Amino acid sequence: SVGLPRHVESMPRLPSGNGRISRLSAVVLGEALAAEENDLIFPSPEFSRDALVSSPEQYRKMYKRSIEDPAGFWSEIAAQFYWKKRWSPDVYSENIDVRKGPVKIEWFKGGITNICYNALDRNIEAGNGDKVALYWEGNEPGQDGQLTYAQLLDQVCQLANYLKHVGVSKGDAVVIYLPMLMELPIAMLACARIGAVHSVVFAGFSAESLAQRIIDCKPKVVVCSNAVSRGAKVINLKAIVDNALAESANNGIAVDLCLVYENQSTMKKEDTKWQDGRDILWQEVVPQFPTKCPVEWVDAEDPLFLLYTSGSTGKPKGVLHTTGGYMVYTATTFKYAFDYKPSDVYWCTADCGWITGHSYVTYGPLLNGATVLVFEGAPSYPDPGRCWDIVDKYKVTLFYTAPTLVRALMREGDEYVTRYSRKSLRVLGSVGEPINPSAWRWFYNVVGDSRCPISDTWWQTETGGFLITPIPGAWPQKPGSATFPFFGVQPVIVDEKGNELEGECSGYLCIKNSWPGIFRSLYGDHERYETTYFKPFAGYYFSGDGCRRDKDGYHWLTGRVDDVINVSGHRIGTAEIESALVYHPHCAEAAVVGVDHPVKGQGIYAFVTLVDGVDYTDEVRKSLILAVRTQIGAFAAPDKIHWAPGLPKTRSGKIMRRILRKIASKQLDELGDISTLAEPSVVNQLIEFTDR
Ligand code: 6R9
């Protein structure tokens, strides 16, 4: 038997009896970590009593079982789903150690199932056909809609039948470029139903980015909508798709069919260009298809979806998730991290274009038979009280969002929150980046009236679901800590040499062994999969994040340790922004670093050298920012362009980003050793140019 890691053993207990409900430090002295570490926020005894996991002891018992007997632990959970044929022979098999051969991970292999069947048909057969599956709230208050589980299945089947009709079959890719309409989860589920592999592209990505993804995965069909309203803006999505399709055709990847959902918006009809033969209006064809569609049964290890994400180098990588393990893992993490009850109304503010929307808007909640709210609009439109208006309107009980939104709303003042009741709220959630303790406290005290535990869920596109997360009710929280590992997950913190650190420590966060939801490959590039994630520390999955473990065993994520920055919870590689800048004819060289930003978490700070003879003007600055917007998307636009007549480089020509980070954050007395620079004088020159 494997002993439990010390950090799990040392977890603080819950108070016995009806004692304290929560203890907040009387004076909040900045965000000093020492204070945070000692600040335990307890769930109320009532909350714990009714929770799925009520105490550290209960968690520890389940966790121990999940580590000592993963096969037994996960097969019992998996048995709650429908399998046409049970897996065999093993529950899982894995090699994540590159020294022992190629990395290969399989869960429930040989098991035959379908995730759409398990999310919809299974719940309907259990008597939940009339339960609301999706609520939809549009951009404008008052625009709304809903679908029961039975109605959702009908719509999914119609689209699935249409896709089959146009020749989409098992294993084919379908690109989905839709805003947050109910049609987005419908399209994902329709693909899953027929065994097609969806690749959702966030509808905030530019034509260039969309084209890049189309070229990589060569879809049979692109599903999109004409437009979306976000706040006061109407965005012509079809025009972006048209450009992307032209660009991919130029690269030899012609897509024959583009299915366009007409989203009710203020956009005029004539603003949507139509390519006859290629473009088909959803509303004209899909409703004509039958509302019953047989399920395509697939192997647990058949691909479910691709989702492109940014890495530290090169182009975005297609993270590949398969069916069975992902299904079991997203459903189980959702259930425990939000302490899910069948009466809950759940709202996750993430867009389905990101992994959070895949695992925790669509699959995890629907697999549990939950009622899910889908919101098309912007969270501060028409005013910063919109979220709480929506919470009251639908009696939302579980509210899951990102620290960047918490910080943005916090700045608008408590009034916008307190004018709404929010009595329905039970559990809050946070994802995307570390949540700073002051934002945590505001979320807890003001939004949650000091009674709703916060699940600060740490995970990644690659991990499929939560890896380190509170289980509300089971243990006290600390503001800003993701706390402890989920069942079956063994986090380890290593030093540069890959030695596992024990006790209070900080270093690189890795995971030992696989878990059901881990991605299986990078699409078309298994070698990059191994190099990026399994080679840096042989024998482990490397997350790319730094982490500290405190005296009580709590985990504190400290951000990326690679050249990836996290802007408003969106991951973006500095290399991607640099190549977008360098693409501009006036740009000779660019180096991008992340800097602290009060709302976005990190802001994008770009050092740019122009080609000889071009003047450093405001106009050039604007056109550089525009270049990034059009090549990647608005969310990647630099916050600051810093003119750089020269960049600090080593003699071998490597840009010293360490120095750039210090200059960007104005920590000029911490520049460190600059003697190894080829031309140390560029540093002073750069400092001089700071506000030019
Ligand atoms: C789910 C998601 C992953 C990166 C990850 C880390 C950061 C996400 C976090 C968090 C601290 C949390 N991150 N959740 N950092 N605490 N609760 O965001 O996936 O877009 O792939 O980003 O986001 O740095 O490595 P993804």
Side-chain angles (χ1 to χ4, degrees):
S1 116
V2 222
L4 277 189
R6 228 190 311 153
H7 61 271
V8 172
E9 292 290 4
S10 61
M11 177 187 285
R13 330 257 119 175
L14 293 175
S16 53
N18 291 328
R20 274 176 322 182
I21 290 180
S22 75
R23 181 175 63 85
L24 284 172
S25 43
V27 193
V28 183
L29 289 168
E31 307 210 342
L33 278 172
E36 306 308 333
E37 279 184 13
N38 291 320
D39 202 357
L40 295 179
I41 314 282
F42 291 88
S44 73
E46 296 73 35
F47 188 98
S48 290
R49 186 194 59 213
D50 297 338
L52 291 167
V53 184
S54 298
S55 65
E57 294 71 27
Q58 192 188 345
Y59 161 77
R60 211 177 288 121
K61 214 170 128 204
M62 291 173 77
Y63 182 75
K64 189 167 192 303
R65 162 106 202 277
S66 75
I67 300 303
E68 291 178 351
D69 176 22
F73 181 89
W74 288 111
S75 61
E76 263 167 40
I77 292 176
Q80 297 161 17
F81 295 93
Y82 179 78
W83 300 82
K84 181 105 187 135
K85 182 171 155 267
R86 205 182 145 92
W87 50 90
S88 78
D90 300 321
V91 175
Y92 73 99
S93 74
E94 67 176 15
N95 173 42
I96 65 162
D97 191 336
V98 284
R99 294 163 303 193
K100 297 184 183 150
V103 174
K104 185 164 187 189
I105 301 166
E106 293 177 335
W107 281 82
F108 312 112
K109 175 83 184 159
I112 304 294
T113 190
N114 182 290
I115 195 170
C116 173
Y117 182 88
N118 273 293
L120 303 182
D121 311 57
R122 188 180 54 101
N123 284 316
I124 294 167
E125 278 154 31
N128 284 323
D130 294 333
K131 183 176 178 180
V132 174
L134 300 178
Y135 280 123
W136 177 74
E137 170 82 5
N139 182 59
E140 297 298 327
Q143 274 184 328
D144 53 26
Q146 67 177 62
L147 291 174
T148 64
Y149 269 85
Q151 291 167 332
L152 175 58
L153 176 60
D154 286 354
Q155 301 231 351
V156 166
C157 285
Q158 287 186 315
L159 180 61
N161 279 321
Y162 171 76
L163 291 173
K164 280 208 300 201
H165 171 76
V166 298
V168 176
S169 53
K170 189 179 162 197
D172 288 339
V174 172
V175 163
I176 302 173
Y177 187 76
L178 281 168
M180 285 296 275
L181 305 172
M182 291 194 277
E183 283 66 25
L184 178 41
I186 288 171
M188 295 164 76
L189 290 161
C191 290
R193 191 164 192 88
I194 61 173
V197 182
H198 58 71
S199 172
V200 182
V201 179
F202 171 56
F205 273 112
S206 66
E208 280 288 330
S209 295
L210 176 59
Q212 205 174 40
R213 286 154 177 77
I214 290 172
I215 292 164
D216 195 61
C217 76
K218 308 174 188 60
K220 273 251 164 88
V221 179
V222 171
V223 182
C224 67
S225 89
N226 62 326
V228 64
S229 302
R230 268 190 81 75
K233 271 192 289 192
V234 179
I235 300 155
N236 186 338
L237 294 175
K238 178 62 166 45
I240 297 174
V241 174
D242 288 341
N243 289 337
L245 290 175
E247 167 83 18
S248 25
N250 283 341
N251 283 273
I253 307 297
V255 178
D256 298 330
L257 185 70
C258 178
L259 183 67
V260 188
Y261 182 84
E262 192 175 37
N263 185 18
Q264 26 164 305
S265 76
T266 51
M267 210 177 75
K268 289 198 270 340
K269 259 224 146 52
E270 58 267 30
D271 288 338
T272 307
K273 292 214 178 65
W274 215 252
Q275 184 170 318
D276 285 334
R278 185 196 70 186
D279 300 345
I280 306 282
L281 186 65
W282 174 313
Q283 281 93 333
E284 251 168 34
V285 291
V286 175
Q288 293 174 18
F289 282 80
T291 54
K292 298 269 173 295
C293 173
V295 164
E296 179 78 37
W297 299 105
V298 301
D299 191 281
E301 283 301 336
D302 279 337
L304 174 63
F305 68 85
L306 291 178
L307 182 60
Y308 288 83
T309 191
S310 296
S312 48
T313 53
K315 56 179 179 119
K317 15 185 205 191
V319 167
L320 175 76
H321 280 286
T322 58
T323 306
Y326 178 83
M327 171 172 86
V328 170
Y329 199 71
T330 53
T332 311
T333 45
F334 173 79
K335 174 173 155 185
Y336 286 104
F338 294 116
D339 188 49
Y340 172 69
K341 308 261 189 288
S343 55
D344 278 320
V345 176
Y346 167 77
W347 179 21
C348 166
T349 62
D351 191 289
C352 285
W354 308 104
I355 190 66
T356 306
H358 281 64
S359 301
Y360 302 107
V361 173
T362 305
Y363 292 114
L366 294 178
L367 285 162
N368 279 281
T371 295
V372 180
L373 175 78
V374 173
F375 176 44
E376 178 194 17
S380 47
Y381 175 83
D383 70 42
R386 183 71 186 276
C387 287
W388 323 118
D389 183 33
I390 295 174
V391 164
D392 282 359
K393 175 172 173 186
Y394 297 94
K395 306 271 180 302
V396 171
T397 59
L398 312 174
F399 177 72
Y400 187 33
T401 193
T404 182
L405 181 66
V406 174
R407 287 190 298 264
L409 296 180
M410 185 168 121
R411 294 184 135 201
E412 305 284 349
D414 299 2
E415 290 282 272
Y416 284 110
V417 186
T418 53
R419 83 166 66 130
Y420 297 96
S421 145
R422 293 158 289 114
K423 268 217 308 276
S424 54
L425 290 174
R426 229 165 52 73
V427 180
L428 305 174
S430 173
V431 61
E433 55 174 315
I435 178 162
N436 46 309
S438 63
W440 195 102
R441 286 207 168 77
W442 184 81
F443 200 24
Y444 184 80
N445 289 326
V446 180
V447 174
D449 280 330
S450 310
R451 49 172 192 84
C452 307
I454 298 178
S455 282
D456 175 5
T457 60
W458 175 78
W459 61 298
Q460 310 176 294
T461 306
E462 294 86 341
T463 71
F466 309 149
L467 293 191
I468 302 181
T469 175
I471 295 185
W475 57 74
Q477 300 187 274
K478 296 187 184 188
S481 166
T483 74
F484 293 97
F486 192 72
F487 304 125
V489 175
Q490 286 178 276
V492 295
I493 297 177
V494 302
D495 65 15
E496 302 81 53
K497 298 205 179 77
N499 302 310
E500 277 186 39
L501 304 173
E502 293 259 7
E504 272 188 81
C505 59
S506 83
Y508 303 99
L509 180 59
C510 293
I511 315 287
K512 241 188 217 178
N513 302 346
S514 73
W515 60 94
I518 189 177
F519 69 141
R520 305 300 198 255
S521 194
L522 289 179
Y523 181 65
D525 201 348
H526 199 69
E527 198 182 319
R528 189 172 174 202
Y529 174 71
E530 295 184 337
T531 311
T532 312
Y533 301 98
F534 299 96
K535 281 197 181 147
F537 300 103
Y540 303 107
Y541 164 78
F542 173 49
S543 67
D545 279 357
C547 182
R548 205 168 56 79
R549 191 182 281 145
D550 73 17
K551 61 182 193 312
D552 299 318
Y554 283 67
H555 293 82
W556 301 79
L557 278 299
T558 53
R560 301 287 307 192
V561 294
D562 52 12
D563 288 322
V564 170
I565 49 186
N566 193 325
V567 183
S568 301
H570 298 156
R571 244 168 93 170
I572 183 85
T574 51
E576 269 174 85
I577 305 171
E578 286 162 9
S579 77
L581 288 168
V582 173
Y583 194 73
H584 189 289
H586 292 159
C587 178
E589 197 166 29
V592 169
V593 297
V595 283
D596 287 349
H597 186 286
V599 173
K600 298 181 183 177
Q602 278 190 301
I604 300 173
Y605 197 110
F607 292 89
V608 174
T609 308
L610 296 181
V611 294
D612 271 351
V614 176
D615 288 340
Y616 291 86
T617 63
D618 229 32
E619 205 181 311
V620 177
R621 190 192 308 269
K622 282 190 193 127
S623 74
L624 283 165
I625 294 174
L626 186 65
V628 181
R629 295 174 75 98
T630 50
Q631 282 182 74
I632 304 174
F635 69 93
D639 296 280
K640 163 100 183 170
I641 302 271
H642 186 136
W643 297 131
L647 288 168
K649 290 183 188 167
T650 60
R651 284 189 193 89
S652 61
K654 235 171 136 31
I655 295 175
M656 293 194 70
R657 286 165 194 281
R658 175 176 60 77
I659 294 173
L660 293 177
R661 272 187 216 110
K662 295 293 177 199
I663 295 176
S665 56
K666 299 205 159 63
Q667 293 168 301
L668 300 181
D669 46 349
E670 293 173 27
L671 290 177
D673 182 13
I674 57 168
S675 63
T676 54
L677 289 177
E679 274 183 77
S681 64
V682 299
V683 172
N684 278 332
Q685 208 178 19
L686 270 182
I687 295 170
E688 219 175 279
F689 267 67
T690 297
D691 292 310
R692 284 270 283 268

